């Protein structure tokens, strides 16, 4: 990247040319990025907000920005409790599904597919990704379900994921079943996480969809 502060150059035209190149570089790089693909189940406009209740607390999820990760434009999703950001995810919607590319500043390799397109009841897919030396593998299956939460009653697609986490030596360190319920035009309205006798539930209380 060129710098506009080249030593010993006083000519205004050269300075202006270099500065213009500096300012345009991010925009040109941004154009080349793989764009977010419009879809019915994953709103990605900046300002979109979900408020969930679970385990005696409220979790607010907001799309705060868009950013490019690994050549793909992502929605930056911030999850906060009590006004404090707990973690940040980078999500990309492609033609074949929705992917998580980063979480808590760590790149997920390869990207983790949380939803497969086109939506079809009974479809299944596998995932295998690594982050911070931990490998996660999952078997995912899509079905349909009607869900009632504080925000209303929704016809949803249900994604059930059997997830296993392994350390660098291949030993299993954690297992869980994650069930997510996604509604058209809204996104996730409920999520149930079950592991080793524990169960946590998040349910949608409020939803605000931002415009383009």
């Amino acid at each position: 990247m060129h710098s506009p502060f080249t030593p010993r150059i006083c000519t205004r035209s050269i300075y202006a040319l270099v500065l213009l190149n500096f300012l345009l570089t991010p925009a040109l790089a941004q154009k080349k990025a793989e764009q977010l693909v419009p879809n019915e189940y994953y709103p990605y406009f900046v300002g979109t907000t979900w408020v969930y209740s679970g385990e005696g607390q409220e979790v607010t999820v907001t799309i705060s920005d868009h950013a490019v990760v690994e050549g793909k434009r992502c929605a930056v999703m911030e999850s906060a409790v009590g006004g404090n950001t707990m973690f940040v995810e980078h999500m990309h919607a492609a033609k074949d599904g929705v992917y998580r590319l980063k979480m808590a500043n760590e790149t997920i390799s390869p990207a983790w597919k949380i939803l497969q397109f086109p939506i079809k009841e009974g479809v299944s897919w596998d995932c295998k990704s690594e982050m911070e030396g931990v490998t996660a593998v999952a078997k995912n299956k899509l079905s349909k379900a009607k869900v009632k939460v504080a925000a209303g009653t929704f016809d949803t697609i249900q994604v059930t994921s059997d997830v296993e986490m392994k350390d660098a030596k291949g030993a299993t360190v954690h297992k869980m079943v994650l069930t997510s319920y996604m509604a058209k035009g809204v996104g996730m309205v409920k999520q149930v996480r079950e592991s080793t006798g524990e169960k946590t539930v998040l349910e949608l209380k409020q939803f605000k969809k931002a415009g383009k």
Side-chain angles (χ1 to χ4, degrees), residues 80-141:
V81 176
N84 298 313
T85 300
M86 306 304 290
F87 60 88
V88 178
E89 302 169 273
H90 288 69
M91 311 292 291
H92 175 72
K95 289 182 179 180
D96 67 335
V98 177
Y99 293 83
R100 180 180 289 111
L101 276 71
K102 287 181 71 175
M103 186 169 182
N105 260 345
E106 295 293 333
T107 300
I108 301 170
S109 181
W112 186 266
K113 181 185 275 190
I114 65 170
L115 185 60
Q116 181 158 302
F117 297 146
I119 298 299
K120 186 178 180 181
E121 188 172 12
V123 72
S124 61
W125 68 96
D126 295 338
C127 295
K128 183 177 181 181
S129 299
E130 183 178 339
M131 186 178 80
E132 292 187 305
V134 175
T135 299
V137 293
K139 291 187 177 297
N140 310 280
K141 188 171 182 179

Side-chain angles (χ1 to χ4, degrees), residues 3-11 14-15 18:
S3 168
F5 303 106
T6 306
R8 300 182 181 278
I9 294 180
C10 300
T11 306
I14 296 178
Y15 176 86
V18 174

Side-chain angles (χ1 to χ4, degrees), residues 195-212:
S195 63
T196 59
E198 295 183 357
K199 182 177 180 179
T200 58
V201 180
L202 281 179
E203 295 188 344
L204 185 67
K205 285 183 64 179
Q206 298 173 24
F207 171 68
K208 183 185 78 172
K209 184 176 181 179
K212 294 183 179 181

Side-chain angles (χ1 to χ4, degrees), residues 114-115 123-126 138-145 157-163 176-182 192 194:
I114 65 170
L115 185 60
V123 72
S124 61
W125 68 96
D126 295 338
K139 291 187 177 297
N140 310 280
K141 188 171 182 179
L142 192 150
S143 56
K144 293 183 179 180
I157 54 170
Q158 173 183 323
V159 180
T160 303
S161 304
D162 288 299
V163 185
M176 67 177 176
V177 177
L178 188 66
T179 308
S180 302
Y181 301 86
M182 315 284 288
V192 180
E194 299 175 273

Side-chain angles (χ1 to χ4, degrees), residues 33-52:
E34 186 177 327
Q35 299 300 302
L36 288 156
V37 176
N39 67 91
E40 295 181 312
Y41 290 92
Y42 179 64
Y44 54 70
F45 296 117
V46 173
T48 302
T49 303
W50 299 260
V51 179
Y52 298 96

